[in-house]
Amino acid sequence: MTFTGDILIEPEQKEAICSHSDGFDTIFRNILSSFSLSNYIIGNLETPLAGEELVYSSHKWSFNTPDCFAESLKKAGFNLLTTANNHCLDRGKIGLLNTLKTLDRYGLEHIGTYAQKSDKEKIFIKDIGGLRFAFLSYTYGTNASLNGEYLGEDRYMVNLFQDQEREIPRKKQYFTRIMNKLHDIFKEKSSYSFHALSYKKQVRKDIQKCRQKNADYIIMCMHSGGQYNNTPDPYTLSLVKWLSKQDIDFIIGNHPHVVHLGKKTGKKRFVAYSLGNFCSYPGSETAHHENDSEVLADYSIILHLNFYEKSDTVEVSFEICKSIVEEDRIARIYSLYDLICKEEDLILRGKLLNDNERIVRKFIDNQEDTITLQKEYNFN
């Protein structure tokens, strides 16, 4: 089973793709070998597929991608897309509904956002290789303070960890920053969080349903974190700590757009705080950061969970990929291992090797052991 990081199509990518004969297919062409042994591939779709009438992406914080992108994801091998994220309402409730219809049309399974309440009440269970996997997808919010799309009685449309964001008065913002800073300082000494998790009851209810459906494994696809932060923020640390106590086997995080650490929490339990940007546009406004050389927003983890029929041990492995904007202005995804092996310029090769080591150390949270170049690393 394979998980990827954030899947985004920024305006620059969309404009460049329009003049290419292969369309969006060209983005994934060089990374397909990383999916070749996977029985099931999951990605975080962080853009609506809402239709041309609702205007395609032109703003750095508001997305909408042509429907044919779904076909390219299907061709690349994706089976399941998580849709509960902060951009799911970028084109309103109609855009959310159109996205679900588009994914259905192209035969892509999806979780996290729903057309009707009865859909939300169902638990998504997938039988793979004789094992039953339950998937959940939740988000910290929906950018409601930016897009003005607030849910009332139709809150069932999006799986939320907490109430949607609202405009915060300046005085309250100042107070919140102080409280969050204090929590950041004392988080090692206290389990208390200043951040609210409003919908614990709903999350627990979904987890209970997973077990009632005889799921062998429960996987939470978590959308949370500070964008371009080098480490998980206090809210996400608190959220993972709580989720880890709720009988969840795997927590797969996205949203920060950069790689954060992964952590084994048992012989069949694992947390990945953030897999980074799988499909993005390096150098775009949404990927810009004042300290970009440290953030490494053009890199991502491809995470593999390896299950065995007669064993309850799960092996975790990962690859590193990199998005590169090429001469035709299209950003394509490459295996970092392949890039290093093919690079003849010693200076550029050295930089890529250095980046590879930094990403590996960051994900395995190990600053001591020697890191050798490998296409796929085992998470020990």
Side-chain angles (χ1 to χ4, degrees):
M1 183 178 295
T2 295
F3 295 82
T4 72
D6 300 309
I7 298 172
L8 286 163
I9 297 295
E10 277 103 348
E12 297 90 340
Q13 181 82 304
K14 177 183 66 66
E15 292 171 9
I17 289 289
C18 286
S19 59
H20 195 278
S21 59
D22 288 341
F24 292 107
D25 292 1
T26 188
I27 298 172
F28 307 104
R29 200 169 300 282
N30 302 294
I31 202 70
L32 298 181
S33 62
S34 296
F35 297 158
S36 61
L37 297 180
S38 298
N39 297 95
Y40 204 66
I41 302 171
I42 303 97
N44 169 47
L45 181 64
E46 202 163 359
T47 174
L49 306 173
E52 187 173 6
E53 290 184 3
L54 294 180
V55 185
Y56 292 140
S57 302
S58 59
H59 187 276
K60 61 181 179 178
W61 292 324
S62 184
F63 300 115
N64 182 24
T65 301
D67 293 1
C68 57
F69 184 51
E71 183 178 15
S72 295
L73 291 170
K74 182 73 173 178
K75 288 180 181 177
F78 283 93
N79 303 103
L80 174 65
L81 296 173
T82 60
T83 53
N85 55 63
N86 59 308
H87 290 290
C88 64
L89 288 172
D90 277 0
R91 292 299 180 271
K93 298 167 190 175
I94 295 176
L96 184 152
L97 295 174
N98 288 350
T99 300
L100 299 180
K101 291 176 184 177
T102 299
L103 296 177
D104 287 339
R105 189 165 71 249
Y106 286 101
L108 286 161
E109 296 170 314
H110 49 82
I111 53 168
T113 58
Y114 306 96
Q116 49 194 354
K117 193 172 183 179
S118 59
D119 294 334
K120 177 184 172 59
E121 295 299 321
K122 300 173 185 175
I123 292 297
F124 184 83
I125 300 276
K126 194 71 181 179
D127 289 286
I128 307 171
L131 295 172
R132 288 172 61 79
F133 296 89
F135 292 89
L136 301 173
S137 170
Y138 272 77
T139 179
Y140 76 94
T142 61
N143 285 2
S145 60
L146 293 175
N147 56 43
E149 292 289 337
Y150 292 98
L151 301 172
E153 293 182 357
D154 48 8
R155 189 173 65 78
Y156 64 83
M157 295 183 78
V158 183
N159 275 347
L160 290 159
F161 286 121
Q162 60 182 11
D163 289 325
Q164 289 177 285
E165 317 92 314
R166 294 187 177 276
E167 293 288 353
I168 304 175
R170 188 167 296 180
K171 288 183 179 179
K172 190 173 181 181
Q173 285 182 358
Y174 181 69
F175 174 77
T176 301
R177 284 198 296 269
I178 292 174
M179 297 302 282
N180 288 344
K181 185 65 176 177
L182 287 171
H183 176 261
D184 203 19
I185 293 171
F186 294 107
K187 65 178 180 285
E188 297 299 329
K189 300 179 181 179
S190 172
S191 61
Y192 179 74
S193 172
F194 291 108
H195 301 274
L197 180 61
S198 311
Y199 302 137
K200 287 183 178 180
K201 186 176 180 180
Q202 180 60 54
V203 179
R204 284 198 188 104
K205 183 179 177 182
D206 280 351
I207 294 169
Q208 290 169 359
K209 285 182 180 178
C210 292
R211 291 305 178 199
Q212 289 168 1
K213 295 285 186 180
N214 297 317
D216 294 299
Y217 295 96
I218 300 176
I219 300 172
M220 169 63 78
C221 297
M222 173 188 72
H223 201 77
S224 176
Q227 294 188 107
Y228 307 108
N229 288 356
N230 267 317
T231 57
D233 67 329
Y235 172 80
T236 304
L237 289 170
S238 301
L239 178 57
V240 167
K241 188 172 184 178
W242 183 82
L243 289 172
S244 297
K245 297 177 181 178
Q246 307 306 311
D247 201 25
I248 291 176
D249 299 293
F250 300 97
I251 302 170
I252 310 298
N254 279 306
H255 176 62
H257 303 305
V258 290
V259 174
H260 287 172
L261 78 157
K263 186 177 180 181
K264 276 191 173 180
T265 56
K267 66 178 181 179
K268 66 169 190 174
R269 294 199 167 193
F270 184 81
V271 174
Y273 283 87
S274 173
L275 297 181
N277 266 337
F278 176 67
C279 177
S280 68
Y281 198 85
S284 70
E285 289 185 276
T286 48
H288 175 72
H289 192 280
E290 62 183 4
N291 197 16
D292 205 46
S293 63
E294 293 297 322
V295 171
L296 301 174
D298 47 347
Y299 289 98
S300 179
I301 294 292
I302 298 176
L303 181 70
H304 304 296
L305 302 181
N306 305 288
F307 300 88
Y308 297 89
E309 188 176 358
K310 297 182 180 180
S311 172
D312 60 357
T313 299
V314 180
E315 293 183 359
V316 180
S317 62
F318 66 96
E319 303 176 46
I320 303 173
C321 58
K322 178 180 175 66
S323 290
I324 298 177
V325 179
E326 302 189 289
E327 290 184 1
D328 57 5
R329 299 182 297 113
I330 295 174
R332 295 177 176 85
I333 309 165
Y334 289 87
S335 158
L336 180 55
Y337 175 85
D338 291 345
L339 288 174
I340 292 171
C341 290
K342 294 175 182 177
E343 183 55 64
E344 296 179 354
D345 186 303
L346 293 181
I347 294 177
L348 292 177
R349 179 182 168 87
K351 182 184 182 307
L352 291 174
L353 281 167
N354 182 59
D355 287 350
N356 181 80
E357 180 175 340
R358 289 166 65 191
I359 293 291
V360 172
R361 290 192 185 281
K362 193 172 187 179
F363 192 60
I364 67 175
D365 195 25
N366 185 327
Q367 303 302 317
E368 298 178 359
D369 295 339
T370 300
I371 304 299
T372 58
L373 178 64
Q374 300 177 48
K375 183 174 179 61
E376 185 173 342
Y377 293 88
N378 290 320
F379 200 106
N380 298 316

